[in-house]
Amino acid sequence: MKKLLVLFILAALVGVLYPLYESFDGNTELSEVARFYAKSENVQKVNSQNLVTAVVVTYRGLDTLGEVTILFLTAAIIAFFLKKESEKRTLRKNSEIFKTASKLLIPIITMLGIYIFINGHLTPGGGFQGGAVIASAVILMFLAFPNMEFSHKFFESLESVSGLVYVGLAAFGAILGLGFLDNAILPLGKFGQLFSAGAIPVIYSFVGLKVGAELSNILNKFKSVQADN
Amino acid sequence: MEYITITTGFLIILAGLWAIMTRKNIIRIIIGFSLFDTGIHVVMVSMAYVKGGVAPILDKKELLTDTANKIVDPVPQALVLTAIVIGLGVTALMLAYAMRLHQEKKSLDIESFKDLKW
């Protein structure tokens, strides 16, 4: 009976999705919105080589601000739910190879994350991806050195400062009369160079730091509540 | 060619829904939600594909002229970027709930949580 119900629901979903599949035959041209973004004068106005970044940080910047807020809310709820318990953990000793390899890898992974968010306006990548890569370095650190002190205060203040700078830069555009989250508050630079696209690399760097710090905080919360049962 | 990605996306969505409905372990249910998410992302990105288009990164000189006819749609890609981050947040939240549930009952089986069932 239960299996039949499951099959019925799956079949219903297939029925809902099938018209979407049926009507899809591959686009031959861009939508009108994308055409606007790809217009030569608009590309020059934003001066970002990566159009996706231009859409995420400038055209739909408010959306990204909301996204960062949702991530912050998640971190806050997780901090509320997972309170540290004083139970003891017995940990197996890590092997020497793993420890040495992670000592070598952690700085390199962190550097890759920073590279990804600084070059977000030139190559695929950006603040969220770079932040996630930095958080993966933190995960490796937790696994390799479980007894290391995690400076909760440092990561939390880094996160708050980055968030405030992001909102401050956004509001600065409005104060200058260009518009909230406009990237022209800094010189636009030469197309395709590291210092181009105005405020986009600065904003994305702070987004990257914020996301990295936030995810590290969440991971620390997950780690700190684990105890022997 | 463009049918491969969209079909894969729909299949991943169905697999995720199947996992959500039939699995008993809470972690597996969370994996099901994650799969559902990923499938929707794959479908959205494949819907943005334009025949013969390249990624919307203008790193070559010839892409700068007549850009609109050479690239794929950047808007759904930006939306998917947003959706991935939200999905990550939701997954983290579900895992936190799973940890709390495990602390209460020392079990991850969904059958052992009957307090709100009537």
Side-chain angles (χ1 to χ4, degrees):
Chain A
M1 189 56 217
K2 226 174 185 177
K3 273 192 180 141
L4 266 176
L5 195 66
V6 167
L7 272 179
F8 175 74
I9 293 175
L10 282 179
L13 190 72
V14 170
V16 171
L17 292 178
Y18 188 72
L20 198 63
Y21 181 75
E22 182 72 66
S23 62
F24 174 79
D25 49 356
N27 305 312
T28 47
E29 55 177 14
L30 284 183
S31 65
E32 208 175 315
V33 188
R35 247 170 216 291
F36 173 80
Y37 294 151
K39 245 193 246 165
S40 176
E41 68 253 36
N42 286 330
V43 169
Q44 270 161 24
K45 214 168 117 194
V46 182
N47 217 15
S48 162
Q49 190 175 298
N50 186 343
L51 280 186
V52 179
T53 303
V55 173
V56 168
V57 182
T58 305
Y59 294 114
R60 300 180 56 90
L62 208 58
D63 194 24
T64 308
L65 191 60
E67 187 184 348
V68 170
T69 316
I70 286 182
L71 210 58
F72 170 73
L73 201 65
T74 312
I77 294 172
I78 287 176
F80 173 72
F81 257 101
L82 301 178
K83 295 244 165 57
K84 194 180 166 105
E85 316 236 321
S86 55
E87 285 170 272
K88 204 73 196 110
R89 290 183 78 189
T90 40
L91 292 161
R92 193 161 53 93
K93 215 168 164 282
N94 280 325
S95 80
E96 201 56 51
I97 299 173
F98 180 40
K99 274 190 193 160
T100 316
S102 32
K103 263 183 201 157
L104 178 74
L105 280 175
I106 288 167
I108 297 176
I109 295 174
T110 314
M111 208 168 70
L112 178 71
I114 292 170
Y115 169 83
I116 288 174
F117 67 64
I118 285 181
N119 283 286
H121 58 305
L122 301 175
T123 51
F128 296 101
Q129 297 91 322
V133 171
I134 289 178
S136 75
V138 174
I139 262 199
L140 187 59
M141 200 177 79
F142 283 154
L143 289 176
F145 312 104
N147 293 322
M148 216 169 97
E149 277 294 316
F150 178 84
S151 174
H152 187 73
K153 270 232 170 73
F154 170 73
F155 276 90
E156 228 156 49
S157 42
L158 180 67
E159 181 204 321
S160 321
V161 168
S162 311
L164 278 178
V165 172
Y166 179 27
V167 177
L169 277 171
F172 197 57
I175 291 167
L176 286 182
L178 294 160
F180 195 72
L181 273 166
D182 198 287
N183 70 328
I185 54 171
L186 292 174
L188 285 177
K190 199 164 161 285
F191 186 82
Q193 304 269 305
L194 181 60
F195 292 103
S196 67
I200 286 181
V202 184
I203 288 177
Y204 238 6
S205 301
F206 281 107
V207 171
L209 284 177
K210 185 170 162 61
V211 171
E214 223 149 37
L215 294 182
S216 309
N217 254 335
I218 291 176
L219 292 171
N220 180 47
K221 278 277 172 316
F222 277 136
K223 189 187 85 130
S224 63
V225 293
Q226 281 175 5
D228 293 338
N229 294 313
Chain B
M1 210 18 221
E2 54 271 21
Y3 282 98
I4 296 175
T5 38
I6 199 165
T7 315
T8 319
F10 282 133
L11 288 180
I12 296 174
I13 291 178
L14 289 179
L17 190 66
W18 173 81
I20 292 167
M21 288 190 299
T22 57
R23 297 298 93 188
K24 297 278 183 282
N25 191 314
I26 290 178
I27 301 290
R28 290 184 189 196
I29 296 173
I30 293 171
I31 292 174
F33 273 103
S34 214
L35 273 178
F36 201 115
D37 244 23
T38 314
I40 292 172
H41 300 156
V42 172
V43 169
M44 277 172 82
V45 169
S46 64
M47 290 249 161
Y49 180 70
V50 177
K51 275 175 188 152
V54 296
I57 293 164
L58 314 173
D59 55 350
K60 294 196 186 72
K61 272 246 151 53
E62 62 261 31
L63 279 176
L64 285 174
T65 51
D66 193 24
T67 314
N69 291 324
K70 289 174 184 162
I71 58 169
V72 300
D73 201 336
V75 184
Q77 298 197 4
L79 291 178
V80 167
L81 176 60
T82 311
I84 288 173
V85 177
I86 307 291
L88 176 78
V90 172
T91 310
L93 209 56
M94 283 193 288
L95 284 171
Y97 287 147
M99 274 177 111
R100 283 297 289 173
L101 289 175
H102 186 261
Q103 272 179 357
E104 291 296 320
K105 294 247 166 107
K106 304 290 174 210
S107 157
L108 276 175
D109 192 346
I110 196 82
E111 302 273 313
S112 54
F113 298 97
K114 293 198 184 240
D115 307 312
L116 279 177
K117 206 173 177 183
W118 69 86

